[in-house]
């Protein structure tokens, strides 16, 4: 399918929508009063909710030129998702929020000047130099368009977060790439260049006086970059559910373990839920939500919720090897909608099976648009899940009264 058919422009030139001046659908029902119709449109009693979507075809330009073999972080990831939104009739119900390039000033809220310069300069490198750059870092590829795509991806998440924070839209889905949560302060990593979600959260605090942000990361991988960006920040919760395998799963750092809880005044504001093996299922994720994620989120009482919404924990993902169904993604989205007066942003991270990510993202977007999530079976968490949650509660109950009473040995 052509980009123009799925990016909301309907074969028209790419028109950018001003978020401050969004079209509002108003009822135009004539009212019968005192024997005649009055033509004035009736005011709508309920505030209408709107769902934003970010998509820009230019984020497909970042592509792997170094290797013959197919790379999982492929440009078609976002077009496949967008095509699925369109085919399901969801795209026309959403408001297109234009992506724009993140500025150096914004990126510097998370990254170093050197990192900005490094990414910017890649657009002027030769193919050989690009290959060398990729080899110098952990799990990335680079082409001449990478810098543009990375700036759009980050700027797109910022624009959606701001539109939600201001109330222009209630919630939304940022269909963006390259992903962001592995990007470190001073280096790209794990297919990521700029930490889209972290930069967006900092922009909300700086520009819109948002005080408290809850970041939930359900990508199969731990978001090492996001954890570090907010490790000592008491006003940002970073909560990640990820495959850990005793620090043998990417990024393979013990900092993804449950004992890393945040530092300084921010103890308890980092929450790691590390699965000890592949093969985790809907019940395990819903159990984690019921026992840890939602109780803490309610107690924290955020002003906005941002999800690092990778779909590599989905059934069928070649890297994650978990079995989360679209229905469970819908339920998690539904639960998160109950926070922060519904202000919820989902930003794509990983996810490498095109069908799995498209169906999962669609289930989330349907819930954002107001549909009910599909029925789940009974919640039967695995033994490994229950043990993991027990360990998380043991360390986190020191900081969250909702998790009490949990017995803590006084010698600990
Ligand atoms: N042994 C995201 O899902 N795998 N990134 C490298 C090296 C890298 C995944 C394996 C996986 C990165 C956003
Ligand atoms: Zn991932």
């Amino acid at each position: 399918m052509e980009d123009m058919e799925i990016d909301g422009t309907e074969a028209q030139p790419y028109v950018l929508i001003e978020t401050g001046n969004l079209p509002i659908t108003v009822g135009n029902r004539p009212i019968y009063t005192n024997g005649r119709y009055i033509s004035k449109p009736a005011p709508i009693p309920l505030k209408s909710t709107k769902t934003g979507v970010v998509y820009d075809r230019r984020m497909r330009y970042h592509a792997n030129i170094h290797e013959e073999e197919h790379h999982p972080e492929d440009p078609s990831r976002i077009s496949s998702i967008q095509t699925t939104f369109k085919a399901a009739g969801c795209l026309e119900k959403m408001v297109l929020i234009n992506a724009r390039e993140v500025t150096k000033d914004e990126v510097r809220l998370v990254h170093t000047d050197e990192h900005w310069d490094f990414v910017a300069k890649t657009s002027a490198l030769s193919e050989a130099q690009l290959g060398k750059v990729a080899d110098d870092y952990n799990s990335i590829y680079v082409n001449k368009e990478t810098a543009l795509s990375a700036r759009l991806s980050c700027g797109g998440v910022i624009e959606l977060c701001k539109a939600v924070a201001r109330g222009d839209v209630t919630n939304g889905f940022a269909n963006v790439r390259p992903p962001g949560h592995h990007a470190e302060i001073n280096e790209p990593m794990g297919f990521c260049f700029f930490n889209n979600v972290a930069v967006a959260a900092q922009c909300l605090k700086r520009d819109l006086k948002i005080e408290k942000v809850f970041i939930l990361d359900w990508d199969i991988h731990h978001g090492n970059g996001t954890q570090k960006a907010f490790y000592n920040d008491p006003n940002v919760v970073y909560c990640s559910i990820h495959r850990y395998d005793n620090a043998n799963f990417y990024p393979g750092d013990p900092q993804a373990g449950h004992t890393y809880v945040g530092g300084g005044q921010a103890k308890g504001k980092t929450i790691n839920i590390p699965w000890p093996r592949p093969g985790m299922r809907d019940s395990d994720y819903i159990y984690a939500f019921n026992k840890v994620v939602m109780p803490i989120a309610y107690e924290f009482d955020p002003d906005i919720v941002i999800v690092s919404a990778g779909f590599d924990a989905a059934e069928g993902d070649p890297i994650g090897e978990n079995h989360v169904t679209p229905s469970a993604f819908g339920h998690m989205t539904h639960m998160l909608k109950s926070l922060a007066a519904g202000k919820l942003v989902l930003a794509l991270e990983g996810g490498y099976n095109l069908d799995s990510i498209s169906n999962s993202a669609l289930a989330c977007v349907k819930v954002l648009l107001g549909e009910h999530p599909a029925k789940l079976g009974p919640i039967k968490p695995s033994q490994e899940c229950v043990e993991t949650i027990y360990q998380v509660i043991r360390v986190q109950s020191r900081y969250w009264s909702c998790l009490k009473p949990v017995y803590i040995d006084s010698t600990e």
Side-chain angles (χ1 to χ4, degrees):
M1 201 177 276
E2 288 293 320
D3 263 311
M4 286 183 296
E5 294 178 74
I6 56 173
D7 66 7
T9 63
E10 295 292 349
Q12 296 300 307
Y14 203 70
V15 180
L16 304 182
I17 293 177
E18 296 292 333
T19 57
N21 189 24
L22 292 170
I24 296 170
T25 307
V26 287
N28 199 11
R29 183 162 57 93
I31 303 173
Y32 190 72
T33 312
N34 293 338
R36 63 191 182 93
Y37 284 99
I38 53 171
S39 57
K40 227 176 151 190
I44 289 191
L46 289 172
K47 200 171 138 190
S48 63
T49 63
K50 287 195 283 278
T51 297
V53 62
V54 175
Y55 180 76
D56 189 308
R57 64 187 74 144
R58 292 172 293 167
M59 285 184 287
R60 288 172 46 177
Y61 299 170
H62 167 60
N64 188 13
I65 55 168
H66 316 307
E67 297 145 38
E68 287 293 293
E69 64 192 271
H70 171 78
H71 192 282
E73 208 289 274
D74 186 88
S76 59
R77 295 173 62 242
I78 55 172
S79 47
S80 174
I81 288 172
Q82 196 77 355
T83 300
T84 303
F85 291 167
K86 168 99 177 178
C90 287
L91 194 56
E92 65 199 46
K93 295 180 186 148
M94 293 192 274
V95 178
L96 180 67
I97 305 288
N98 60 295
R100 48 100 179 155
E101 293 178 55
V102 67
T103 65
K104 180 175 182 177
D105 186 47
E106 290 166 331
V107 159
R108 285 183 65 240
L109 295 169
V110 171
H111 299 282
T112 60
D113 285 14
E114 293 71 33
H115 184 62
W116 171 268
D117 293 340
F118 155 77
V119 175
K121 282 178 184 159
T122 57
S123 61
L125 298 179
S126 68
E127 277 202 23
Q129 288 170 316
L130 289 167
K132 168 94 173 60
V133 166
D135 293 343
D136 284 348
Y137 292 96
N138 177 346
S139 305
I140 61 158
Y141 62 77
V142 197
N143 70 359
K144 275 184 173 319
E145 313 291 342
T146 296
L148 172 65
S149 296
R151 286 193 295 256
L152 286 167
S153 184
C154 192
V157 175
I158 294 171
E159 283 301 294
L160 179 57
C161 285
K162 284 191 165 182
V164 168
R166 285 191 299 252
D168 300 341
V169 294
T170 312
N171 54 37
F173 188 93
N175 185 10
V176 297
R177 70 181 285 275
H181 72 157
H182 295 304
E184 291 271 350
I185 310 302
N186 198 34
E187 60 182 310
M189 182 177 159
F191 318 158
C192 305
F193 293 85
F194 297 129
N195 195 321
N196 307 328
V197 165
V199 172
Q202 291 290 23
C203 287
L204 293 180
K205 295 210 297 174
R206 184 190 65 170
D207 302 336
L208 295 179
K209 304 280 175 273
I210 293 287
E211 287 178 0
K212 290 190 286 178
V213 183
F214 188 89
I215 299 173
L216 188 279
D217 188 333
W218 71 40
D219 187 284
I220 191 75
H221 302 98
H222 182 247
N224 51 285
T226 316
Q227 172 166 310
K228 274 182 209 151
F230 301 110
Y231 203 69
N232 295 307
D233 187 336
N235 292 315
V236 177
V237 164
Y238 175 68
C239 178
S240 176
I241 307 175
H242 50 271
R243 181 172 161 193
Y244 185 54
D245 299 7
N246 197 28
N248 287 306
F249 193 70
Y250 193 86
D253 194 309
Q255 288 185 53
H258 71 279
T259 59
Y260 286 80
V261 297
Q265 297 301 301
K267 288 203 168 61
K269 302 297 167 60
T270 291
I271 301 126
N272 284 325
I273 303 175
W275 301 135
R277 60 156 172 84
M280 304 305 273
R281 299 179 170 278
D282 289 358
S283 284
D284 304 312
Y285 278 77
I286 301 299
Y287 188 82
F289 258 64
N290 287 342
K291 297 292 179 185
V292 173
V293 177
M294 294 309 296
I296 288 178
Y298 274 110
E299 184 170 336
F300 181 61
D301 191 22
D303 301 311
I304 190 169
V305 177
I306 310 176
V307 182
S308 264
F311 294 111
D312 38 14
E315 173 76 52
D317 190 275
I319 293 179
E321 301 175 285
N322 273 5
H323 306 288
V324 181
T325 68
S327 174
F329 282 114
H331 277 267
M332 292 193 285
T333 302
H334 193 255
M335 287 192 251
L336 295 172
K337 268 179 80 171
S338 65
L339 303 160
K343 291 183 187 296
L344 173 61
V345 171
L346 271 51
L348 184 65
E349 297 277 2
Y352 307 103
N353 176 316
L354 295 184
D355 289 333
S356 302
I357 66 176
S358 300
N359 294 331
S360 301
L362 177 61
C364 293
V365 155
K366 283 182 172 176
V367 171
L368 292 179
L369 282 164
E371 284 190 31
H372 299 290
K375 195 170 186 307
L376 277 177
I379 305 306
K380 293 177 186 157
S382 65
Q383 184 62 31
E384 292 89 338
C385 168
V386 174
E387 282 170 20
T388 302
I389 296 304
Y390 175 78
Q391 297 300 340
V392 172
I393 291 176
R394 251 165 58 100
V395 297
Q396 293 289 347
S397 61
R398 296 173 189 180
Y399 313 109
W400 299 100
S401 58
C402 60
L403 299 180
K404 292 175 178 140
V406 167
Y407 175 71
I408 303 174
D409 188 79
S410 59
T411 59
E412 284 190 279

